[in-house]
Amino acid sequence: MPPENNQIQGEGYLAVRTVIELTRTMDLLEDLLARHLAHFNLSQPKFNALMELYYAGEEGLPLSELGERMLVSRANITGLIDRLQRDGLVVRAVDPKDRRVIRAQLTPRAVQLIHGVLPLHMNLLKQATASLNPEEKETLIRLLTKLQEGLEKL
Amino acid sequence: MPPENNQIQGEGYLAVRTVIELTRTMDLLEDLLARHLAHFNLSQPKFNALMELYYAGEEGLPLSELGERMLVSRANITGLIDRLQRDGLVVRAVDPKDRRVIRAQLTPRAVQLIHGVLPLHMNLLKQATASLNPEEKETLIRLLTKLQEGLEKL
DNA sequence: CGAAAATATTTAATATATTTACAATTAAAG
DNA sequence: CTTTAATTGTAAATATATTAAATATTTTCG
């Protein structure tokens, strides 16, 4: 059972290292963002949903549309909106044009919360990436985009 | 409410883009790995736990140690080991030296499964990163490592 | 028009994660 | 050595995610 002749060599090494470093970086980043959002009783999914609704404007978004933008299932959106509604940050509104549709809309309290959180959040992202200079950030963005193009084909 | 004077400019732009591209890349990667592991009735957490136990050897690992290595809570390990035990891949063994400790150990079936999955998994990681040449992978690894160093200080 | 297909939301069962609280055991202090 | 500390695993409540199935409403088309 031990890993005697199991060392990763040559071509495989860089592939494994790339995946490991990506994973570690995201773990650290998610932890940082979660700690920040917790100060406002928000989680990352809640924050993402609020941001989508904020940029969508007054009419809000159909739950299905919100799910597509957040890349999560419709069933999950039901629960997420339930919790945001319970927090008083979102309301459900029927769509006058299609009675199958329910639109999620921000409450005034949610807009106020976002105005408080956004500048601090922006600042945190700057701090989080401050160890890279602008040129390095551009290189990283370019390499990640290239990697994504390959991943999308699989 | 609309985003009139909310555009992200200058220094902030690269920070936000960096975080967005990191997130998108990990989303794609996690999706690819999840789809692969699903062929073996495995999830990423289950696979990670099996790998830790595989490299730990015959005696397995105390549940608390496994939790530390996987960066998840002890309570979560309890449930994860429950499910792996139910799948017949892991057994719980009491530690003769410390009666507080329960060690998770792989079953022969788990070892056999790992021997089947590992080569395919290695291959998938190579494919997943094939859109970057070795030099680009090295640059990406270097930039991610540098980013991590900054993140760890926050 | 009216049956069939498509779309939208919810519910139920499950997986993975967290925090808090607790029981059992060990380690440490005096 | 015995009282106190810390450690380990588990349980309960909650958050987030999934798939599959049920329900309600359009749409489509023969």
Side-chain angles (χ1 to χ4, degrees), chain B:
Chain B
M1 193 204 281
E4 283 117 0
N5 41 4
N6 241 333
Q7 71 252 45
I8 295 148
Q9 84 273 58
E11 19 162 14
Y13 172 73
L14 284 180
V16 172
R17 270 294 302 283
T18 301
V19 170
I20 286 178
E21 299 311 334
L22 270 169
T23 305
R24 277 197 195 139
T25 307
M26 272 309 285
D27 282 353
L28 287 167
L29 190 56
E30 280 171 5
D31 191 67
L32 179 70
L33 298 183
R35 264 158 36 217
H36 174 244
L37 291 175
H39 297 154
F40 304 92
N41 282 306
L42 288 176
S43 61
Q44 190 71 62
K46 282 181 179 177
F47 179 70
N48 291 345
L50 293 183
M51 289 304 292
E52 289 291 349
L53 295 176
Y54 182 71
Y55 286 112
E58 300 276 356
E59 311 88 33
L61 290 175
L63 299 194
S64 54
E65 173 71 19
L66 182 57
E68 276 166 34
R69 296 197 190 189
M70 291 179 64
L71 304 177
V72 299
S73 67
R74 285 175 324 206
N76 182 30
I77 291 297
T78 294
L80 187 55
I81 293 301
D82 283 349
R83 292 185 288 273
L84 284 168
Q85 198 163 16
R86 202 198 48 201
D87 294 343
L89 297 174
V90 151
V91 291
R92 278 176 161 90
V94 295
D95 188 311
K97 304 188 203 87
D98 187 339
R99 275 184 296 172
R100 290 172 303 183
V101 170
I102 294 186
R103 306 184 79 94
Q105 299 173 344
L106 295 184
T107 63
R109 198 181 134 206
V111 176
Q112 200 180 337
L113 178 65
I114 290 168
H115 287 158
V117 173
L118 256 190
L120 298 176
H121 199 74
M122 269 300 301
N123 214 54
L124 187 70
L125 296 191
K126 283 186 206 162
Q127 279 182 260
T129 58
S131 58
L132 301 181
N133 64 39
E135 194 188 325
E136 288 172 322
K137 285 196 192 81
E138 277 170 8
T139 303
L140 179 57
I141 290 167
R142 183 176 59 75
L143 292 175
L144 290 172
T145 306
K146 198 168 176 184
L147 189 52
Q148 284 169 41
E149 284 163 13
L151 284 169
E152 273 160 4
K153 287 174 190 148
L154 306 176

Side-chain angles (χ1 to χ4, degrees), chain A residues 37-154:
Chain A
L37 291 175
H39 297 153
F40 303 92
N41 284 304
L42 289 176
S43 62
Q44 190 71 61
K46 282 181 178 177
F47 179 71
N48 291 344
L50 293 183
M51 289 304 293
E52 290 291 349
L53 295 176
Y54 183 71
Y55 286 112
E58 301 277 355
E59 310 87 35
L61 290 175
L63 299 195
S64 53
E65 172 71 19
L66 182 58
E68 276 166 33
R69 296 197 190 188
M70 292 179 64
L71 303 176
V72 299
S73 67
R74 286 164 307 176
N76 182 29
I77 290 297
T78 293
L80 187 55
I81 293 300
D82 282 350
R83 291 185 290 273
L84 284 169
Q85 199 163 17
R86 203 199 48 200
D87 294 345
L89 298 175
V90 151
V91 292
R92 279 176 161 90
V94 294
D95 187 311
K97 306 190 200 82
D98 187 338
R99 276 184 296 172
R100 290 171 304 182
V101 171
I102 295 186
R103 305 184 80 93
Q105 300 173 342
L106 295 185
T107 62
R109 198 182 136 204
V111 176
Q112 201 180 336
L113 177 65
I114 290 169
H115 286 158
V117 173
L118 256 190
L120 299 176
H121 199 74
M122 269 301 300
N123 214 55
L124 187 70
L125 296 192
K126 283 186 207 163
Q127 278 182 260
T129 59
S131 59
L132 300 181
N133 64 41
E135 195 188 323
E136 288 172 324
K137 284 196 193 81
E138 277 169 10
T139 303
L140 179 56
I141 290 167
R142 183 176 60 74
L143 293 175
L144 290 172
T145 305
K146 197 167 177 183
L147 189 51
Q148 286 169 40
E149 283 163 14
L151 285 169
E152 272 159 5
K153 286 174 191 147
L154 306 177

